Amino acid sequence: MLRLAIRLSGRDITITPVCMDYPTEERRVSMLLANDPINTVHFGTSQDREDKLLPAYVPIYLGTTGLRLFMVLNENLPALESVRSMDDLRKFSMGQGLGWPDTKILIENGFSVSDGRYNTLHKMLDAKRFDLYPRAFWQILGEWRWMKEQAPNIKVSPEIGLYYSQPIYFFFAPGEPELRDAIQTGLERVYSNGLMFELLKNHPETAPSFHLIDLRKLRVILGTNKNLPEKSKEVLKTYGLFD
């Protein structure tokens, strides 16, 4: 997506990956604020992030991050599939990554949440540290295909989901307004040309969900995200598939 945005921005921009041992989102915010060693990252938004950093206001997964499906232990599938209301769903505890904005959103909606590092959460689920591991519509099947190798007892529930508005943006260091503006322009063109949806349907990480999850059969519980910034609410009205 970033390569497409650069290509359509009309600017000469080079991507230089910075490799490290998956820092937490809080740590990545600190790196962006310092503009060292990174000046660009993508993650979910919050009022604090939009205040401190420079977002490109095009949700790179078209708002499908807010539709959360669940990884669950096989033994708990029948109980999950009987869920009909938010009160039913609140009986299950959730797992989330350190510093993820979704933790506060889930707590707002009345859930008990346990935190852990991203590369351990599926193992924590397998060890019964919590009941459900909610993942975005676009990512859950792609992730489950490798996570089940390390946590063989986890399944994906095909029947129940939770929705709250939550876009993911590319964020930029505060000292990089020209870079942000170039990527914003490029992303707007990627969207208007239909290339964004095509990429999501065909990229190996997102294609499984877009092709294999039948949204018509999904029972969706509606949640809230009361702290979603006003700007992002308007952005989702333009770009969101579900809003």
Side-chain angles (χ1 to χ4, degrees):
M1 191 74 74
L2 188 57
R3 291 191 188 100
L4 275 175
I6 289 171
R7 193 170 76 202
L8 271 65
S9 73
R11 295 281 302 278
D12 184 15
I13 299 170
T14 300
I15 300 175
T16 305
V18 177
C19 297
M20 56 186 73
D21 185 22
Y22 206 87
T24 66
E25 293 196 1
E26 291 178 344
R27 176 63 179 139
R28 280 177 273 170
V29 169
S30 298
M31 292 175 181
L32 283 183
L33 288 171
N35 205 351
D36 180 38
I38 57 175
N39 62 11
T40 308
V41 74
H42 70 281
F43 44 37
T45 195
S46 67
Q47 187 65 65
D48 183 62
R49 291 177 181 183
E50 292 188 32
D51 289 342
K52 291 179 177 178
L53 306 170
L54 298 178
Y57 281 109
V58 179
I60 60 176
Y61 298 103
L62 296 175
T64 62
T65 302
L67 179 56
R68 317 298 287 192
L69 281 73
F70 302 106
M71 295 189 203
V72 57
L73 288 176
N74 189 52
E75 64 193 63
N76 290 332
L77 260 177
L80 180 62
E81 290 171 355
S82 69
V83 166
R84 294 294 183 275
S85 68
M86 182 66 86
D87 285 339
D88 292 339
L89 192 58
R90 289 191 184 108
K91 296 174 183 177
F92 297 86
S93 58
M94 306 280 186
Q96 288 290 276
L98 295 168
W100 292 1
D102 301 87
T103 298
K104 291 182 178 180
I105 297 171
L106 290 169
I107 291 172
E108 170 192 321
N109 283 276
F111 293 101
S112 172
V113 182
S114 297
D115 289 341
R117 287 190 171 274
Y118 168 73
N119 56 3
T120 67
L121 283 164
H122 56 293
K123 299 175 187 177
M124 292 171 65
L125 173 62
D126 199 50
K128 302 182 180 181
R129 298 277 296 279
F130 47 80
D131 301 319
L132 304 177
Y133 183 18
R135 304 301 290 143
F137 162 79
W138 61 265
Q139 71 190 155
I140 190 164
L141 287 186
E143 286 188 334
W144 175 74
R145 288 180 173 183
W146 68 263
M147 288 181 176
K148 67 178 179 178
E149 301 301 320
Q150 301 174 3
N153 295 316
I154 63 174
K155 305 291 183 183
V156 174
S157 171
E159 296 188 8
I160 187 74
L162 170 68
Y163 181 77
Y164 48 80
S165 299
Q166 175 65 350
I168 287 181
Y169 300 130
F170 284 114
F171 282 87
F172 301 85
E176 301 282 359
E178 292 184 2
L179 179 60
R180 187 278 306 274
D181 292 348
I183 300 304
Q184 173 87 33
T185 297
L187 287 171
E188 290 170 355
R189 292 170 179 169
V190 171
Y191 173 80
S192 62
N193 289 344
L195 296 174
M196 186 171 288
F197 193 41
E198 285 302 309
L199 178 60
L200 293 176
K201 289 191 297 182
N202 293 292
H203 191 279
E205 288 187 3
T206 53
S209 290
F210 276 84
H211 288 285
L212 298 176
I213 294 174
D214 189 345
L215 294 174
R216 296 169 298 180
K217 296 180 180 179
L218 190 66
R219 189 164 57 255
V220 178
I221 306 297
L222 295 179
T224 60
N225 182 3
K226 295 179 181 177
N227 294 316
L228 185 70
E230 290 299 320
K231 174 68 174 179
S232 284
K233 293 178 183 178
E234 294 303 313
V235 165
L236 284 173
K237 291 178 182 178
T238 300
Y239 296 103
L241 286 182
F242 302 142
D243 286 79

